[in-house]
Amino acid sequence: MKKFILYILVVLLSTSISLELILKVFHLSGHTVPTAIIENDKLLKPGTENIWVRGGLGEIRSHYKINDQGWNSILDYSDIDSNKIYVAIIGDSYIQGFQSNVEESIGRQLELQMNNKVTVHEYGRDGANINDYVQVYEKYIRGKYGYAFMLITDKDLIANKPSFMGVKKPLNESFIRKLYNNIALIRYLNINHGLGLKLTELFSGFPTVSSQIESKAKNEKLTQNSQGKINQDALSRLNSDIIILYEKGKLNEKFISSTANPTVEVKHILTPKDCGFDSHWNVNGRKNCAKAIKDYIESLENGK
């Protein structure tokens, strides 16, 4: 019995070592993008540059680059050209855009479509919501841009606190976190396959907090009878010059028709628009978003 147990342990160890080597050689494991506190906001660590990986076989492999201001962009937001129209896009992971190369972001697509008449700064952060959006606008954008677009979904509207703006958390990594960051096999199982979330749901018998939020956002209709669920305090801070971007089916129609802010629908003409197993936009989706913004800006500029 002891020999059998020893044999099993040796097999497991050798298999784990082999998988670790394979994952590292072929760069198949996802990783957590490091963060930094910048002016009391938990943004991405400036200067970080790497390949973002998702999928069991690394189907998504995209280049990201964090600028000096803590956003995923090849542009330095402190460089200002007075001859250009400046456009800001605020949003969550869809605007952050790790699912495609940073060189092919929504901003770069928009600049290309508008023959470089505009310069676009993307203020995207995964997990962001309406509370983050209004603070990003007030702190980084108001009075500095010709146009400010904000991508909003039903899920964003029901959040009651920011996820990263003004959220100053200790950044000292624990031993466990350092170990996790250095073992490709653990990261592969957790990030690429979501093992941590699946185990939590299995043993708790209930969906995780994040999956509950996703489910609530998909299933809950923001009707007049449920207006109290919307974060009205955050919405009241939306400036009138913010243009709301939305996808059909992801933002309640009654909200769209009742808001005082201009609204622009992102219509997905180019398909496929996403990464399949990952619902985030691929390059086609980003081109579609850029076109929606382009058409809106040109309609106003041509009318002047």
Side-chain angles (χ1 to χ4, degrees), residues 9 18 23-24 30 36 42 44 57 88 92 94 96 109 157 199 209 216 218 246 255 266-267 287 302:
L9 291 174
S18 298
L23 292 172
K24 286 189 173 180
K42 191 177 181 183
L44 301 173
L57 296 175
D92 57 7
Y94 281 73
Q96 180 176 255
Q109 302 295 344
L157 296 177
L199 288 175
V209 172
K216 186 175 183 181
K218 289 178 181 178
Y246 71 95
F255 173 81
V266 177
K267 297 180 180 179
K287 288 180 178 179
N302 293 335

Side-chain angles (χ1 to χ4, degrees), residues 127-133 135 159-167 231:
N129 58 62
I130 190 66
N131 304 277
D132 297 293
Y133 301 161
Q135 290 190 48
N160 55 25
K161 61 181 180 179
S163 67
F164 72 93
M165 287 297 291
V167 182
N231 190 334

Side-chain angles (χ1 to χ4, degrees), residues 49-285:
E49 185 174 3
N50 210 328
I51 300 298
W52 194 86
V53 180
R54 287 297 184 274
L57 296 175
E59 290 88 346
I60 300 178
R61 303 180 63 84
S62 50
H63 173 229
Y64 70 84
K65 184 176 183 180
I66 311 305
N67 65 15
D68 288 344
Q69 291 75 37
W71 309 96
N72 183 35
S73 178
I74 59 174
L75 301 184
D76 184 333
Y77 293 178
S78 65
D79 291 340
I80 302 296
D81 182 351
S82 58
N83 296 318
K84 293 272 187 81
I85 298 172
Y86 277 79
V87 178
I89 309 176
I90 310 166
D92 57 7
S93 50
Y94 281 73
I95 303 303
Q96 180 176 255
F98 282 154
Q99 289 74 17
S100 61
N101 292 323
V102 65
E103 295 85 359
E104 302 171 303
S105 71
I106 297 169
R108 307 296 75 76
Q109 302 295 344
L110 179 56
E111 290 167 351
L112 186 64
Q113 291 181 20
M114 297 192 70
N115 298 316
N116 290 316
K117 293 178 181 178
V118 299
T119 296
V120 186
H121 293 169
E122 297 134 308
Y123 293 87
R125 187 80 163 83
D126 59 300
N129 58 62
I130 190 66
N131 304 277
D132 297 293
Y133 301 161
V134 293
Q135 290 190 48
V136 166
Y137 175 82
E138 291 169 351
K139 187 171 184 177
Y140 298 109
I141 295 170
R142 182 165 54 193
K144 300 176 183 177
Y145 291 82
Y147 295 92
F149 292 83
M150 184 179 291
L151 180 66
I152 297 180
T153 66
D154 286 345
K155 180 182 70 173
D156 299 324
L157 296 177
I158 60 176
N160 55 25
K161 61 181 180 179
S163 67
F164 72 93
M165 287 297 291
V167 182
K168 187 174 183 179
K169 296 181 179 179
L171 296 178
N172 294 328
E173 288 189 348
S174 64
F175 172 75
I176 298 298
R177 169 55 69 173
K178 290 179 180 178
L179 193 65
Y180 171 80
N181 287 338
N182 285 283
I183 299 180
L185 179 58
I186 295 177
R187 288 186 284 106
Y188 177 76
L189 293 173
N190 187 47
I191 296 176
N192 296 59
H193 291 283
L195 182 62
L197 288 175
K198 292 174 183 176
L199 288 175
T200 301
E201 292 183 7
L202 176 65
F203 288 107
S204 68
F206 296 97
T208 59
V209 172
S210 59
S211 62
Q212 287 182 54
I213 293 174
E214 290 288 344
S215 177
K216 186 175 183 181
K218 289 178 181 178
N219 300 321
E220 183 174 13
K221 297 298 183 180
L222 301 179
T223 62
Q224 288 182 341
N225 294 329
S226 63
Q227 286 295 309
K229 299 181 183 299
I230 302 175
N231 190 334
Q232 298 291 353
D233 289 339
L235 284 178
S236 67
R237 294 166 60 184
L238 282 183
N239 198 288
S240 60
D241 66 350
I242 292 174
I243 303 108
I244 294 175
L245 289 172
Y246 71 95
E247 289 182 276
K248 188 174 183 179
K250 290 189 177 183
L251 186 60
N252 186 266
E253 291 182 4
K254 288 190 176 181
F255 173 81
I256 296 170
S257 61
S258 63
T259 180
N261 293 78
T263 59
V264 174
E265 181 184 350
V266 177
K267 297 180 180 179
H268 291 290
I269 301 168
L270 298 176
T271 58
K273 67 179 179 63
D274 56 42
C275 305
F277 65 91
D278 187 320
S279 63
H280 289 85
W281 298 331
N282 57 18
V283 175
N284 280 342

Side-chain angles (χ1 to χ4, degrees), residues 1-15:
M1 186 63 178
K2 289 183 178 179
K3 288 184 178 180
F4 177 72
I5 293 175
L6 181 61
Y7 171 76
I8 295 298
L9 291 174
V10 169
V11 170
L12 288 174
L13 180 60
S14 59
T15 302

